[in-house]
């Protein structure tokens, strides 16, 4: 209903202004023609006619240009009322002046035309200001309404996010409880199975044939692998919930501890491990130690037939990677080996849970080591990736937040 009534009122406002302008142009032409016919001075007639006609032309042009302005159409009648009001005001002043006995205007009709013409233009100017002010007020009100709507939507979104976050935290808590149950309640039966199988082997070993001994060995090995997978899954689930607060970590000390932990494996494989100069990073020292121990252990294990050759290097993060704006705020730590390598088609899959590229008869493992590495790196806000070709070794790289040396 409102939109239908605004259209006629807008048209009426423009018509009022246009008709007023046309009226003054017509009055100017008619008055000039009559004066020239009566023998009036051409220059005087032209001057007075311009006083009447020019305001009319201004109103005509304004009526034509009005739709091309920023003024809303429903405020056109406001401008028309101001224009007619200005003409009426000056006409009223002239009438009052004429009523004064001691004063009078020699040609009241001419004076009325000139005064009302200028009054209508002056009123039009005031009307433009009024309409612009109302238009701006309307736009401000409309934008405020839009902002209130957006704020309401944002508040609703924030509430939904908070709800989702609470559900996510509850889900994490349930996952941790499940992981604890898996670690404790499920391992106890596994230990019992292993113990009884060992007891059967010791007590009845002399009565078992070769197949029986093999079956018991398979069962014990399966139970041990299941326990290892449960421990690894528990460790994976607790990366976020059981991690330590971040602090400056000296990676030199971390790699010294890792090499000490891997001393036996290094000696057994006759490996050579070279660690370059390492920086300080922001992180959880225990998780970073676990991260690099997993990467180094993999480099030693998947070395092929030759003695492993492992190189650990550090450099500022590459500006061409996914977050170039973080250049100089991250370190890239790379662990490179000359081992069996990985098919490029599998470089993303190796970080998935329980993904193994080789059978258990070739290499041991739970299929959770690299998934755990990725989870640790993600908690530190970094990335992990591998560059590799079959038979040419692999380079595992991780980005970690740098420590500003000025902070101590």
């Amino acid at each position: 209903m409102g939109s239908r009534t605004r259209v006629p009122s807008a048209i009426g406002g423009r018509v009022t202004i246009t008709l007023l302008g046309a009226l003054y142009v017509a009055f100017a032409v008619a008055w000039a023609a009559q004066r020239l016919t009566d023998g009036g001075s051409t220059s005087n007639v032209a001057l007075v006619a311009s006083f009447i006609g020019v305001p009319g032309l201004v109103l005509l042009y304004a009526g034509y240009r009005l739709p091309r302005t920023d003024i809303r159409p429903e405020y056109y009648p406001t401008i028309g009322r101001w224009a007619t009001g200005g003409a009426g005001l000056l006409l009223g002043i002239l009438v009052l002046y004429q009523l004064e006995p001691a004063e009078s205007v020699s040609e009241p009709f001419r004076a009325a035309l000139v005064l009302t013409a200028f009054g209508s233009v002056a009123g039009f100017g005031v009307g433009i200001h009024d309409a612009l002010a109302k238009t701006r007020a309307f736009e401000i009100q409309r934008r405020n309404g839009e902002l209130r709507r957006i704020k309401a939507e944002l508040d609703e979104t924030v509430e939904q996010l908070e709800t989702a976050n609470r559900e996510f935290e509850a889900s994490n808590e349930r996952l941790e409880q499940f992981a604890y149950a898996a670690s404790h309640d499920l391992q106890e039966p596994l230990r019992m199975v292993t113990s009884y199988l060992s007891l059967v082997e010791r007590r009845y070993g002399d009565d078992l044939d070769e197949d029986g001994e093999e079956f018991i060995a398979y069962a014990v090995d399966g139970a041990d692998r299941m326990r290892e997978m449960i421990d690894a899954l528990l460790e994976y689930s607790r990366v976020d919930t059981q991690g330590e607060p971040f602090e400056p970590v000296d990676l030199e000390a971390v790699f010294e501890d890792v090499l000490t932990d891997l001393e036996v494996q290094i000696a057994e494989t006759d490996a050579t491990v070279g660690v370059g100069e390492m920086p300080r990073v922001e992180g959880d020292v225990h998780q970073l130690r676990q991260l690099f121990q997993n990467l180094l252990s993999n480099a030693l294990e998947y070395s092929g037939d030759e003695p492993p050759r492992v190189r650990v290097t550090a450099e500022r993060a590459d500006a061409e990677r996914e977050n170039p704006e973080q250049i100089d705020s991250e370190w890239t730590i790379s662990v490179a080996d000359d081992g069996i390598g990985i098919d490029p088609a599998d470089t993303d899959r190796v970080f998935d849970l329980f993904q193994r590229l080789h059978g258990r008869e070739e290499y041991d493992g739970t299929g959770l080591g690299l998934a755990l590495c990725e989870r640790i790196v993600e908690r530190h806000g970094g990335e992990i990736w591998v560059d590799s070709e079959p038979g040419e070794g692999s380079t595992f790289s991780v980005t970690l937040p740098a420590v500003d040396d000025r902070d101590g």
Side-chain angles (χ1 to χ4, degrees):
M1 181 68 180
S3 62
R4 289 198 296 269
T5 56
R6 281 200 299 267
V7 174
S9 66
I11 295 175
R14 283 187 65 202
V15 168
T16 300
I17 297 167
T18 304
L19 287 179
L20 197 59
L23 184 64
Y24 281 113
V25 171
F27 274 140
V29 172
W31 183 87
Q34 191 269 330
R35 283 294 181 175
L36 289 174
T37 302
D38 293 342
S41 171
T42 303
S43 59
N44 184 53
V45 170
L47 180 62
V48 175
S50 66
F51 287 162
I52 302 169
V54 169
L57 291 174
V58 169
L59 292 175
L60 280 173
Y61 182 72
Y64 166 73
R65 290 287 302 176
L66 204 54
R68 295 162 178 79
T69 64
D70 294 333
I71 298 173
R72 293 183 61 83
E74 58 262 37
Y75 301 128
Y76 292 170
T78 300
I79 304 173
R81 288 192 293 270
W82 274 104
T84 54
L89 176 63
L90 289 187
L91 181 60
I93 292 174
L94 178 62
V95 170
L96 291 175
Y97 187 77
Q98 284 294 103
L99 293 176
E100 178 64 32
E103 302 288 343
S104 64
V105 176
S106 59
E107 295 188 41
F109 182 69
R110 182 186 67 179
L113 290 177
V114 172
L115 288 176
T116 55
F118 279 100
S120 63
V121 171
F124 174 79
V126 175
I128 287 289
H129 274 285
D130 188 16
L132 280 173
K134 289 179 178 179
T135 297
R136 293 190 184 107
F138 178 87
E139 289 298 321
I140 290 173
Q141 185 177 4
R142 183 184 64 80
R143 290 173 184 173
N144 285 342
E146 185 71 13
L147 288 174
R148 284 193 293 270
R149 183 185 64 79
I150 293 173
K151 182 179 181 299
E153 291 178 355
L154 286 175
D155 290 342
E156 184 179 357
T157 302
V158 169
E159 185 177 354
Q160 291 175 351
L161 289 174
E162 289 176 347
T163 301
N165 187 52
R166 288 193 295 270
E167 292 175 353
F168 180 73
E169 290 177 351
S171 175
N172 272 351
E173 185 176 352
R174 288 193 296 270
L175 177 62
E176 185 175 346
Q177 291 172 352
F178 167 76
Y180 178 80
S183 174
H184 183 270
D185 298 339
L186 296 181
Q187 286 200 46
E188 187 60 33
L190 286 175
R191 280 193 290 268
M192 184 179 296
V193 169
T194 303
S195 298
Y196 274 102
L197 286 172
S198 300
L199 181 62
V200 168
E201 186 178 21
R202 288 195 303 271
R203 182 171 298 180
Y204 304 106
D206 295 337
D207 299 330
L208 295 173
D209 58 13
E210 185 176 344
D211 287 341
E213 293 178 353
E214 185 178 4
F215 295 157
I216 290 179
Y218 281 147
V220 172
D221 181 62
D224 289 340
R225 287 204 309 271
M226 179 63 75
R227 186 167 57 250
E228 290 175 1
M229 291 179 67
I230 290 174
D231 287 338
L233 186 60
L234 173 65
E235 204 167 19
Y236 179 86
S237 68
R238 290 185 169 181
V239 167
D240 290 321
T241 58
Q242 299 295 317
E244 297 292 331
F246 286 3
E247 61 183 1
V249 176
D250 183 1
L251 290 185
E252 295 271 5
V254 169
F255 275 100
E256 287 179 6
D257 292 338
V258 169
L259 292 177
T260 300
D261 293 339
L262 297 176
E263 202 170 51
V264 174
Q265 188 178 2
I266 292 173
E268 289 178 347
T269 57
D270 193 24
T272 301
V273 180
V275 179
E277 185 177 353
M278 290 290 112
R280 294 196 311 154
V281 298
E282 193 78 18
D284 180 335
V285 62
H286 300 295
Q287 290 185 351
L288 292 178
R289 178 173 175 175
Q290 186 175 35
L291 165 68
F292 291 115
Q293 183 164 328
N294 283 359
L295 293 179
L296 279 175
S297 178
N298 282 352
L300 297 174
E301 184 172 358
Y302 297 98
S303 59
D305 298 330
E306 299 296 324
R309 299 291 181 267
V310 184
R311 302 167 300 283
V312 183
T313 58
E315 60 182 0
R316 284 294 187 178
D318 185 354
E320 295 182 358
R321 296 206 65 83
E322 290 186 9
N323 297 315
E325 69 276 4
Q326 296 183 355
I327 187 70
D328 292 335
S329 66
E330 290 183 337
W331 282 96
T332 299
I333 314 298
S334 299
V335 179
D337 62 62
D338 299 327
I340 62 176
I342 301 171
D343 190 315
D346 295 325
T347 54
D348 290 331
R349 192 163 66 92
V350 294
F351 297 104
D352 293 339
L353 283 170
F354 303 114
Q355 289 298 316
R356 298 177 54 86
L357 302 183
H358 308 279
R360 295 186 183 278
E361 64 278 2
E362 296 179 271
Y363 297 98
D364 291 330
T366 61
L368 281 167
L370 288 176
L372 179 61
C373 290
E374 184 179 49
R375 188 80 181 272
I376 291 173
V377 172
E378 286 176 349
R379 185 191 172 219
H380 287 72
E383 300 174 67
I384 182 169
W385 67 94
V386 58
D387 298 305
S388 182
E389 290 289 342
E392 298 183 7
S394 304
T395 300
F396 283 85
S397 302
V398 301
T399 58
L400 296 171
V403 171
D404 190 343
D405 292 333
R406 293 171 296 183
D407 294 339

